[in-house]
Amino acid sequence: QRIQLQLISDRIQSDVLPQNPAVADDEIQQYYDANISQFEQPESRDVRVILTKEQADAQAALAALQKDDSDASFKQVAKKYSVDEATKSTGGLRQGVVQGQSEPALDNQIFTAAPNTLVGPFKGDAGYYVIEVQKVTPAVTSSLDDVRQQISQTLVAQRQQEIAQNFQDDFQTK
C-alpha cells in the first residue's frame, strides 16, 4: 500500500509540477540584488599565532622568531612556547581567518597587521600573543553571471514548491 501511495504521489507530482518553470532574467537580477550578502566572500587572512600564558614566554618566542621567522622556525617556536593546542602542531598556522572569528584583541591585531611582519607580544583574553600575517585574501563578490545558474535553480525550486503547495491547498479544499 505504501508503494502504491508513493506511485500515485509521484504521478500527481509529475502531472502538476512543471519540470522547469520559466524564470525571467529580471527575477534573477532581483534575487541577486536582494540577497547580495550570500554572494560575498569576506577578506580572510592566513596567520601564524603563538599563544603563551606568560608574557616572558611570549617575549622569548618573539626573540626567537626575530632571529629566524621561517616556517621551520615557527614550527619549533610554536611547539616549544605555544599553549594553543589547535595550532601548536601546525606551527601556529591558522588559515582563512575572517574578521570576528577570534577574540577582540587578537582579531584587531590580525586585521591591522601588515603581512610578513611580527606583531607582539600583546595581551588577549587567552594569554599573550605573537603573530605574523602570512597571506591576505581580499574580499570578493561573485558576479551575477557566476551565480546565475545557482539563482535560477533556487527560483525554480521555490516556484515548484509554491505550485505544489497551491495544488495541495486547492485539493484539500475540494
Side-chain angles (χ1 to χ4, degrees):
Q1 286 179 336
R2 251 186 279 174
I3 293 171
Q4 212 171 14
L5 284 174
Q6 185 62 48
L7 289 171
I8 291 170
S9 175
D10 290 348
R11 245 186 266 142
I12 290 171
Q13 281 185 355
S14 69
D15 287 349
V16 171
L17 295 179
Q19 288 303 313
N20 290 311
V23 177
D25 283 341
D26 64 325
E27 290 178 275
I28 293 172
Q29 181 69 54
Q30 287 172 357
Y31 184 92
Y32 178 79
D33 293 340
N35 299 281
I36 191 75
S37 63
Q38 285 182 1
F39 309 110
E40 294 173 340
Q41 188 71 28
E43 176 184 300
S44 66
R45 293 180 173 219
D46 293 352
V47 62
R48 291 207 181 269
V49 178
I50 307 292
L51 170 63
T52 65
K53 288 292 180 195
E54 303 297 325
Q55 186 173 8
D57 290 339
Q59 200 64 49
L62 177 63
L65 292 170
Q66 284 173 330
K67 291 177 188 169
D68 176 13
D69 71 345
S70 67
D71 288 349
S73 178
F74 248 103
K75 287 180 182 176
Q76 289 174 343
V77 171
K79 195 174 207 174
K80 182 174 181 180
Y81 293 103
S82 187
V83 296
D84 183 7
E85 294 301 324
T87 62
K88 188 175 185 169
S89 62
T90 62
L93 185 62
R94 290 179 56 197
Q95 294 180 305
V97 176
V98 175
Q99 198 157 15
Q101 283 183 329
S102 305
E103 65 171 275
L106 178 58
D107 206 47
N108 180 49
Q109 293 293 334
I110 289 172
F111 285 90
T112 57
N116 303 312
T117 304
L118 288 168
V119 177
F122 60 90
K123 181 150 179 47
D125 296 339
Y128 294 88
Y129 292 95
V130 175
I131 67 166
E132 182 180 63
V133 174
Q134 302 265 286
K135 176 182 165 192
V136 176
T137 304
V140 292
T141 301
S142 298
S143 71
L144 178 58
D145 289 336
D146 291 342
V147 295
R148 182 178 301 279
Q149 184 69 27
Q150 176 188 344
I151 293 172
S152 180
Q153 290 170 348
T154 299
L155 292 174
V156 164
Q158 286 176 354
R159 182 126 335 118
Q160 287 176 329
Q161 182 77 25
E162 285 175 28
I163 292 168
Q165 188 62 50
N166 290 342
F167 175 80
Q168 182 178 343
D169 293 345
D170 187 46
F171 185 78
Q172 287 176 339
T173 301
K174 287 180 182 175

